[in-house]
């Protein structure tokens, strides 16, 4: 189905009005037959000839898929990733892709699915005292935030550990709170199926290399888009630095004290690095790196009224931070190409998406769960979700509202509700300011 003219979507209201009528005629996504063998944790160097066609037939074809035409910028030549995708987060249009449905090891980008599945379960103020069994089964060499046995943490602390430090220890504690790793894996797989992320098979909730654990650039992008519907998810994904509780110790006077230490987001496009500047407009989402997966990353950025999602999996080019550099190049291309290039596919909605005036599972405030304490997603003390943002009344850094969607709720159209089964826009996305 040809994409609507981009000039017709200069405002969210206009976009909604145009696209809601198109929703009625949108074809259902068709999945390619599942592989006859179980997913391999060690894929070959070449993509399979036949892959899933969820989101469109071209997305199931190996190689680069893009509709180059007059006025469309040429794709960057120095992108070596095995698989990548550039998509419009609001409309769901896939602007370009390369082996989008290749089932590869996801590394810690799988934590996006973990968070999207478990975030609504507890209020951020809930507390948990860690016992030894909570930390059992963590793989050797795992990334850790520094959780200690017999110490008490809030759910907010634990999610900061998951998002900022990619802490497998935080994942295992939250899994223990969720009736164990086995139950968490089952729920993650069920949620992936609900999202139509059919390339994804979860074995370990933290993304640690495991036989049969796979996802795809397409699926990770779907998962990120779903997660960004949740206010808490958006906040944690955009947090640059935060304070994390340390270990309780006795001071010189014998008094028990517990100091905090600073943790920084390992997403280099968000936090920056020596050879990677902070990307203008970046607002998350999640990075990963394991022996089998190589480097993986899904990012979301907003610029000039456009919100794009880019996923990059396993760059073949050697070099420090290469996954971020290739992601930045694809973002640059996407922002130049948006409104000019015809899409090659789409990000499909969840199975349960129904015609409604709000997000699936969201309350009227637009929050899709996770806070539970009535905080409305405001960051806790010590967290800095947006560098350079004005300070809120509680002393934490504020979050600006992009896209002009009042209260974070989807816009209701005169004469009818927005049909989310075709277009699933991203409400009140965090806008990143350019930092010096």
């Amino acid at each position: 189905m040809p994409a609507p003219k981009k000039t017709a979507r200069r405002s969210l209201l206009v976009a909604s009005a145009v696209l809601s009528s198109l929703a009625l005629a949108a074809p259902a996504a068709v999945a390619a037959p599942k592989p006859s063998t179980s997913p391999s944790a060690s894929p070959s160097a070449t993509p399979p000839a036949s892959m899933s066609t969820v989101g469109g037939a071209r997305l199931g074809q190996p190689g680069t898929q893009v509709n180059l035409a007059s006025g469309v910028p040429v794709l960057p030549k120095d992108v070596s990733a095995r698989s990548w995708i550039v998509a419009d987060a609001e409309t769901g249009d896939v602007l370009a892709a390369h082996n989008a449905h290749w089932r590869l090891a996801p590394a810690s980008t799988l934590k996006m699915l973990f968070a999207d599945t478990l975030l609504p379960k507890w209020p951020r103020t809930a507390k948990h005292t860690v016992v030894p069994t909570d930390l059992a089964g963590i793989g050797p060499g795992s990334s850790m935030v520094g959780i200690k046995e017999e110490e008490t943490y809030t759910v907010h602390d634990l999610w900061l550990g998951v998002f900022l430090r990619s802490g497998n220890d935080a994942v295992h504690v939250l899994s223990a709170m969720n009736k164990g790793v086995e139950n968490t894996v089952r729920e993650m797989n069920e949620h992936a199926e609900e999202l139509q992320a059919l390339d994804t098979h979860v074995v370990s909730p933290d993304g640690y290399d495991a036989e049969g654990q796979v996802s795809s650039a397409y699926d990770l992008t779907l998962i990120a888009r779903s997660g960004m519907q949740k206010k808490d998810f958006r906040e944690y994904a955009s947090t640059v630095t935060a304070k994390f509780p340390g270990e309780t110790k006795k001071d010189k006077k014998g008094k028990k004290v517990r100091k905090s230490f600073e943790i920084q987001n390992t997403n280099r496009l968000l936090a920056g690095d020596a050879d990677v500047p902070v990307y203008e407009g970046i607002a998350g989402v999640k990075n990963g790196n394991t022996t089998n997966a190589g480097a993986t990353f899904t990012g979301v950025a907003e610029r000039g009224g456009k919100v794009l999602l880019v996923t990059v999996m396993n760059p073949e080019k050697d070099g420090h931070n290469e996954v971020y550099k290739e992601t930045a190049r694809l973002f640059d291309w996407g922002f130049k190409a948006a409104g000019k290039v015809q899409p090659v596919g789409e990000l499909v909605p969840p199975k349960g998406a129904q015609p409604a005036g709000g997000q699936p599972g969201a309350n009227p405030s637009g929050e899709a769960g996770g806070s539970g304490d009535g905080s409305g997603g405001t960051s806790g003390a010590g967290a800095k979700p947006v560098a350079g943002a004005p300070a809120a009344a509680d002393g934490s850094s504020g979050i600006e509202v992009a896209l002009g969607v009042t209260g974070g709720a989807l816009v209701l159209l005169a004469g009818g509700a927005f049909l989310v089964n075709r277009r699933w826009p991203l409400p009140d996305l965090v806008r990143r300011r350019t930092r010096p």
Side-chain angles (χ1 to χ4, degrees):
M1 177 177 140
K5 292 184 178 179
K6 303 298 181 183
T7 53
R9 292 187 287 183
R10 294 189 181 278
S11 73
L12 186 58
L13 284 172
V14 174
S16 300
V18 172
L19 295 172
S20 61
S21 62
L22 294 177
L24 297 173
V30 179
K34 290 189 175 181
S36 57
T37 57
S38 62
S40 171
S42 300
S44 65
T46 57
S50 177
M51 294 178 282
S52 168
T53 56
V54 170
R58 289 188 65 178
L59 299 182
Q61 298 176 13
T64 301
Q65 307 299 320
V66 63
N67 288 319
L68 292 178
S70 178
V72 177
V74 177
L75 284 165
K77 299 183 183 300
D78 50 353
V79 176
S80 65
R82 282 184 167 190
S83 175
W84 55 259
I85 191 170
V86 181
D88 187 313
E90 293 180 275
T91 67
D93 290 341
V94 176
L95 307 185
H98 180 76
N99 302 327
H101 280 290
W102 192 359
R103 306 175 89 196
L104 299 167
S108 285
T109 47
L110 195 65
K111 288 182 173 78
M112 295 188 296
L113 179 60
F114 174 78
D116 196 37
T117 304
L118 267 64
L119 256 174
K121 289 183 177 272
W122 311 282
R124 62 169 59 200
T125 53
K127 295 181 179 181
H128 178 77
T129 300
V130 177
V131 297
T133 54
D134 292 349
L135 301 174
I138 298 176
S142 288
S143 54
M144 310 278 268
V145 68
I147 289 174
K148 302 297 182 182
E149 296 175 8
E150 309 305 330
E151 294 285 5
T152 299
Y153 300 86
T154 66
V155 165
H156 178 64
D157 295 330
L158 296 172
W159 283 120
L160 286 171
V162 171
F163 277 86
L164 272 68
R165 296 303 303 170
S166 202
N168 288 6
D169 48 356
V171 170
H172 277 254
V173 171
L174 286 164
S175 295
M177 294 171 62
N178 191 48
K179 301 179 182 179
V181 167
E182 184 177 347
N183 180 65
T184 298
V185 166
R186 178 184 59 78
E187 290 184 357
M188 288 173 68
N189 280 316
E190 289 174 352
H191 189 51
E193 185 175 353
E194 164 63 22
L195 295 178
Q196 300 200 64
L198 305 181
D199 299 324
T200 299
H201 180 69
V202 182
V203 177
S204 178
D206 50 21
Y208 193 85
D209 283 340
E211 182 66 33
Q213 182 153 275
V214 289
S215 189
S216 67
Y218 182 88
D219 280 15
L220 292 174
T221 307
L222 274 187
I223 293 163
R225 193 183 190 210
S226 175
M228 294 299 284
Q229 308 301 309
K230 296 176 173 63
K231 199 168 191 176
D232 283 359
F233 190 106
R234 293 194 300 275
E235 177 193 326
Y236 290 126
S238 66
T239 300
V240 182
T241 62
K243 295 294 184 180
F244 193 83
E247 188 175 5
T248 300
K249 297 181 180 180
K250 289 184 178 180
D251 61 14
K252 294 180 180 180
K253 297 181 180 180
K255 183 180 179 181
K256 289 184 178 181
V257 294
R258 191 182 187 191
K259 296 181 179 180
S260 296
F261 57 93
E262 186 172 279
I263 57 175
Q264 185 180 63
N265 202 309
T266 54
N267 173 356
R268 299 309 182 197
L269 291 188
L270 186 73
D273 204 1
D275 59 340
V276 178
V278 173
Y279 190 81
E280 180 185 353
I282 194 70
V285 172
K286 190 70 188 75
N287 56 306
N289 198 320
T290 65
T291 301
N292 191 51
T296 60
F297 180 65
T298 297
V300 63
E302 184 270 342
R303 188 185 297 176
K306 289 290 182 182
V307 186
L308 300 183
L309 283 161
V310 172
T311 295
V312 171
M313 300 188 75
N314 198 351
E316 296 179 356
K317 185 187 296 184
D318 292 331
H320 184 57
N321 289 328
E322 185 62 28
V323 71
Y324 303 108
K325 296 173 184 177
E326 296 194 6
T327 299
R329 294 181 196 119
L330 289 170
F331 266 131
D332 288 345
W333 176 87
F335 285 120
K336 292 176 183 176
K340 301 173 184 177
V341 66
Q342 290 292 312
V344 294
E346 68 170 350
L347 301 178
V348 296
K351 289 180 179 179
Q354 300 294 329
Q359 307 164 55
N363 64 29
S365 72
E367 184 178 350
S371 284
D373 60 353
S375 67
T378 304
S379 63
K384 299 178 182 177
V386 178
D394 65 355
S396 61
S397 298
I399 294 180
E400 288 190 82
V401 174
L403 307 180
V405 184
T406 303
L410 292 177
V411 176
L412 292 177
L413 300 176
F418 184 80
L419 297 178
V420 297
N421 63 321
R422 169 60 182 167
R423 301 299 190 196
W424 206 21
L426 214 65
D428 73 328
L429 182 71
V430 180
R431 175 178 289 139
R432 303 291 311 174
R433 290 184 174 181
T434 304
R435 293 188 284 176

